Amino acid sequence: MNPRHRASHAQMRRNARRMRRYGVEPMALITEDLEFAPLVIASIARAVWRYRSELAPLTIATSDLVAGVILRRWFPEWWPTVIIATVIVAGAVAIWGRWVNLPRPVERGYATVTTAFAGAWLTLAAYLGPFTAPLPAVLGIGTLVLAVPWWAHRRRRARVRVERTLAAWPDIAQAVGLAGSRVQSAIVDLWGYRFRLGLGLGQTVEDALSAVPRLESALGTTRGGVRVQPVASKKANRADVRVIETDPHADAITWPGPSITSITQPAKLGLFEDGTPVRVPLLRRHGLFAGMSGAGKSGGVNVLLGDLTACEDVILWAVDLKRGMELMPWASCIDRLATTPQEAESLLADAVVILDGRADDLTRRGERVWEPSPDRPALIIIVDEYAELASEAPRAIDYADSIARRGRAPAVNLIAATQRPSKDAMGKSAVRSQMDVRLCFRVREPRDGDLILGQGMVKAGWHPHKLDAPGKFLISSPEHDIPRRARTCLLDDEGVQATAERHAEHRPSLDAVSLAALDDAASRAERHADASIDEELTSPRHARQIAPKRGDSVLWTVLRDAPENGITVDELITATGMSRPTIYRRLAQLENDGRVRQVSRGRWRARLDPNPDPA
C-alpha cells in the first residue's frame, strides 16, 4: 500500500466506529490499483443499509422478479402451489395480522393486498414467464402504487427516525456521561418512543436520572420530554427511557363514569401517559391528595367521590372547612358533612367511637377485619384542606391521628387533601406516615415533593415540580412504586351535580354496630354532668340559639314547624340540645312509625297528621 495513503491508528478507529454505527462492518482491501473502488462500495452499502426501510418496496419487487425467473426456469409446474400458498398467507395476515404488529384494520388490509398482489404476479410469472408482456409493466406500476402508503405511513417513518437516532447512541452516551451503556430494545408508540437501556459497569439508575437534561438535548426533544425510571424487574443495571414527542395529556380527559361499584374493587383515578388506567385499592387504606393551589387536587377528589358514591358498601363523611364550598355539591351522597371546626371535631370524635365499637364487635366475633357490605359498610372520611383542620380544630387532630393508626382493620379510613403536608399542617407525624396512597400534583419546589411522597423520592426520579398542567400527578402506593406521570379525569360542576343526584338514591345507612356505639357514647356523656352533649353547641356562634328545653316533644315541635325543604340534623341539634346519635335514633323510630319523612338526603320534616303527638 502506498505510504502516502496510510491512515493513522486514530483515523482507522474513527472510520470503523462510523461504519459500525450505520450497520456496515469495516473491511480492508489490499490492492494498489483500486484505491477508489472500496470507498464507493462502502458508501453504496452504507446508503442502502441506512435507507433500507424506504427501499423495502423495491427490494420486495426485485425478490419477486428473481423468484419468478427461478420458478419459470426450473419449477414451472409449481404455479398452483404458489397461488394456494398466496391465498393461505393473505388470509392469515387478514385474520391474525394483529399478532405480527399490525394492530389497525387498515394496516392488515394493506398487508393483505400487498401479499395478494405479489403472489398473483409470481403465479403468472411461473406460468407465463416473468418477462411476458404486460407482466413487467404490471410489476413496476403495482410496486409504485403500493409503495406510496408504505412511504407515507407515520409509524414506519417514526420507527426509522428512532432507529437512526439510537444508532448514534455510543456518541450520545459519551456526551451525556453514560459511556458504556447500550440500547437493548426500542418500541415506537403513538406519543413517541421508549427504549430499554443497559447501563455500563458501575452505573445506576440514579446516574441516568441525573443525565436527563443532557439526554433531552442530545435526543433533540423538548424540555421535560424524557422520562427515566427503573425497570419492573428491579435490576440495578437497567433503566427504561421514554421520549415524549406528543404530550398524551395535553388535553383534559373527560370522566367516563364510575369505575367501581364496591370498595373492594380498585378505583380508577386517572390515566398514565401510555393510556393504562391508574387503579389503586382503597379498602383499609388512608390516602393523601397534595399539591399547590390550582394543581388539580379538587378535581382528583371529585373523581374519587364519583367512584365512592357509586359504592353501596361505603358510608361517606366529609370535612370541608371552606364552609362547604368544595364538597357541598356532594351533600346528597354524604351521610355527614362538617363545615365548621366544631362540627369537624365532633365528626372525627364520633368516627373514633365507631372505630372502637367495630373493634369490639370484631373481637366478639373472633374476626380480624371488617368486611364491607351494604349492611355493614366501610366508613371513609374525606377531609378537604387538612391544614385548616390542624390550625382551627387542634383537638380534632388527635382523633384523626387515632383513625390513621387504628382505622384499617375496622374499615374506618381517612382521605386528606392539602396543599403542603408539612409537620405543622398535618399536626402529628402519624397521620402522614400512615398515608400509603399518595397522589402528588404539581408543587412549587422539589423539597415539597419529598414532603408529600417521602424523603429521597425526588432524587429517585419523582419530579412533581416538573408537572406542567392541572390534573397531572404522580402516584405512590404499594402497587405503584415507579415514577409514572398520570392525569386525572375532568368532572365539572354539572357532572358532579348529575352524578350526586343519580347516586343519592342508593346510598347505604350506618350499620347497627356503629349506631349502637354512638348511642352508648352519648348515654355515657349524658350521665356525666361535666361532659358536653355536643362541643359545637357551646361555641359562641350557637350559644344563643340553643333551646332551653330538650326532649321528644321539642324535637317533634321543630320537625312539625320545619320549612317545606326540611331541616338538617345539625339544625335539630341546635334547636333541641340533643346529641347527634340520639337524634338519629329518634328520627329512625319516627320514620318507622310514619311520623316523619326525609324530604331530601339529610333534611327531615314531620308528616301532616290530625294527631301528630308521637308520645
Side-chain angles (χ1 to χ4, degrees):
M1 184 180 292
N2 192 334
R4 186 173 62 250
H5 301 289
R6 186 177 300 150
S8 66
H9 182 65
Q11 289 174 329
M12 292 176 65
R13 292 179 58 187
R14 183 166 57 253
N15 290 335
R17 186 167 60 249
R18 289 176 178 173
M19 295 172 73
R20 284 196 303 269
R21 183 188 311 163
Y22 295 106
V24 180
E25 295 295 331
M27 58 184 176
L29 295 179
I30 303 176
T31 177
E32 294 182 356
D33 300 328
L34 300 177
E35 297 180 353
F36 183 70
L39 298 178
V40 173
I41 294 174
S43 299
I44 294 175
R46 184 173 62 186
V48 170
W49 179 256
R50 178 177 176 83
Y51 296 100
R52 62 189 182 278
S53 179
E54 289 83 351
L55 295 175
L58 180 60
T59 302
I60 294 176
T62 303
S63 301
D64 212 25
L65 179 61
V66 172
V69 171
I70 294 174
L71 286 174
R72 180 59 182 174
R73 177 67 179 81
W74 286 287
F75 309 101
E77 69 279 2
W78 281 20
W79 66 268
T81 304
V82 174
I83 195 168
I84 293 173
T86 299
V87 173
I88 294 174
V89 174
V93 170
I95 298 173
W96 296 295
R98 62 174 60 88
W99 303 110
V100 289
N101 201 25
L102 295 173
R104 301 173 60 191
V106 65
E107 294 175 349
R108 295 195 293 273
Y110 172 76
T112 302
V113 171
T114 302
T115 302
F117 173 79
W121 190 92
L122 189 60
T123 301
L124 293 175
Y127 184 74
L128 301 175
F131 299 105
T132 302
L135 289 183
V138 170
L139 180 62
I141 296 174
T143 300
L144 181 62
V145 171
L146 292 174
V148 173
W150 173 261
W151 290 332
H153 193 265
R154 181 201 60 81
R155 191 149 57 92
R156 183 205 64 82
R157 290 186 288 110
R159 184 170 60 249
V160 171
R161 186 181 70 255
V162 170
E163 289 176 353
R164 292 172 182 171
T165 300
L166 297 182
W169 181 257
D171 291 341
I172 294 176
Q174 186 73 30
V176 301
L178 296 175
S181 61
R182 62 197 181 280
V183 176
Q184 296 181 324
S185 61
I187 299 176
V188 179
D189 56 27
L190 187 61
W191 314 109
Y193 61 94
R194 59 185 182 272
F195 57 91
R196 174 68 53 83
L197 187 62
L199 299 172
L201 187 64
Q203 295 175 352
T204 64
V205 178
E206 286 71 21
D207 296 326
L209 287 169
S210 64
V212 165
R214 298 188 293 275
L215 276 173
E216 292 171 352
S217 174
L219 295 175
T221 66
T222 58
R223 294 180 60 186
V226 173
R227 320 273 193 264
V228 175
Q229 61 190 29
V231 299
S233 62
K234 300 185 183 298
K235 286 190 175 182
N237 61 344
R238 300 286 188 274
D240 284 334
V241 182
R242 182 176 176 85
V243 179
I244 302 296
E245 296 178 334
T246 303
D247 187 2
H249 290 158
D251 300 324
I253 305 171
T254 303
W255 188 62
S259 61
I260 58 175
T261 56
S262 171
I263 190 61
T264 59
Q265 301 168 348
K268 176 182 173 182
L269 302 180
L271 295 176
F272 288 114
E273 286 182 326
D274 59 1
T276 57
V278 184
R279 294 190 179 275
V280 59
L282 295 173
L283 177 60
R284 284 184 279 276
R285 286 184 177 178
H286 306 298
L288 175 65
F289 287 61
M292 62 183 296
S293 179
K297 294 189 308 299
S298 298
V301 172
N302 280 336
V303 171
L304 175 64
L305 284 170
D307 275 355
L308 293 180
T309 55
C311 301
E312 298 185 10
D313 54 0
V314 174
I315 288 286
L316 291 174
W317 287 7
V319 176
D320 184 1
L321 296 185
K322 291 182 179 179
R323 303 296 176 180
M325 290 175 54
E326 297 292 342
L327 300 181
M328 187 60 74
W330 295 101
S332 60
C333 296
I334 295 176
D335 195 67
R336 185 170 170 184
L337 176 62
T339 59
T340 65
Q342 293 77 19
E343 293 176 354
E345 183 176 328
S346 176
L347 181 147
L348 291 173
D350 288 346
V352 174
V353 171
I354 291 176
L355 187 155
D356 292 334
R358 290 184 174 186
D360 293 338
D361 181 72
L362 291 175
T363 301
R364 288 192 297 269
R365 291 170 174 263
E367 299 175 354
R368 296 180 61 90
V369 294
W370 182 278
E371 296 296 343
S373 66
D375 296 330
R376 293 165 60 88
L379 175 60
I380 294 183
I381 305 166
I382 311 289
V383 182
D384 192 48
E385 296 301 339
Y386 194 91
E388 295 294 325
L389 184 68
S391 61
E392 296 188 22
R395 290 183 58 185
I397 297 300
D398 295 329
Y399 300 126
D401 183 69
S402 180
I403 295 170
R405 287 186 288 105
R406 304 188 296 121
R408 297 175 185 270
V412 179
N413 300 118
L414 192 67
I415 305 292
T418 186
Q419 293 187 21
R420 191 172 185 268
S422 63
K423 183 177 180 180
D424 294 336
M426 299 300 288
K428 289 182 179 289
S429 59
V431 175
R432 186 175 59 186
S433 64
Q434 295 295 331
M435 302 290 185
D436 53 359
V437 176
R438 303 188 183 191
L439 271 69
C440 184
F441 294 82
R442 183 162 56 96
V443 298
R444 193 174 303 278
E445 300 176 357
R447 62 179 181 178
D448 293 339
D450 279 340
L451 198 61
I452 297 169
L453 298 168
Q455 191 64 33
M457 297 294 275
V458 172
K459 184 178 179 181
W462 302 71
H463 297 153
H465 57 286
K466 293 185 178 180
L467 300 175
D468 55 3
K472 291 187 177 183
F473 65 91
L474 297 172
I475 179 172
S476 172
S477 71
E479 299 80 18
H480 304 288
D481 56 355
I482 294 177
R484 300 172 63 191
R485 295 192 183 190
R487 185 163 189 173
T488 189
C489 300
L490 176 62
L491 182 56
D492 55 19
D493 294 341
E494 294 181 358
V496 168
Q497 182 178 359
T499 304
E501 292 177 355
R502 184 168 61 252
H503 294 168
E505 301 177 358
H506 308 288
R507 301 301 304 144
S509 301
L510 204 58
D511 58 282
V513 174
S514 301
L515 287 174
L518 291 173
D519 192 24
D520 291 343
S523 299
R524 288 194 302 269
E526 291 176 356
R527 286 196 299 266
H528 295 80
D530 57 339
S532 174
I533 296 176
D534 192 347
E535 185 66 24
E536 69 170 307
L537 296 179
T538 64
S539 64
R541 187 170 70 87
H542 291 102
R544 64 178 180 274
Q545 300 178 12
I546 301 177
K549 297 170 58 180
R550 300 190 181 109
D552 289 346
S553 60
V554 177
L555 175 63
W556 177 257
T557 301
V558 175
L559 289 169
R560 185 184 58 194
D561 297 338
E564 290 294 332
N565 62 342
I567 188 171
T568 65
V569 173
D570 290 332
E571 292 170 338
L572 289 174
I573 292 174
T574 301
T576 64
M578 300 170 67
S579 66
R580 188 181 301 273
T582 302
I583 287 181
Y584 272 118
R585 187 178 66 254
R586 292 297 296 136
L587 286 174
Q589 294 173 353
L590 292 172
E591 187 177 24
N592 289 335
D593 294 339
R595 299 289 186 169
V596 300
R597 63 187 179 92
Q598 193 171 179
V599 180
S600 60
R601 185 160 186 84
R603 303 189 71 89
W604 303 79
R605 188 173 186 272
R607 291 182 181 273
L608 297 180
D609 194 294
N611 184 20
D613 189 358

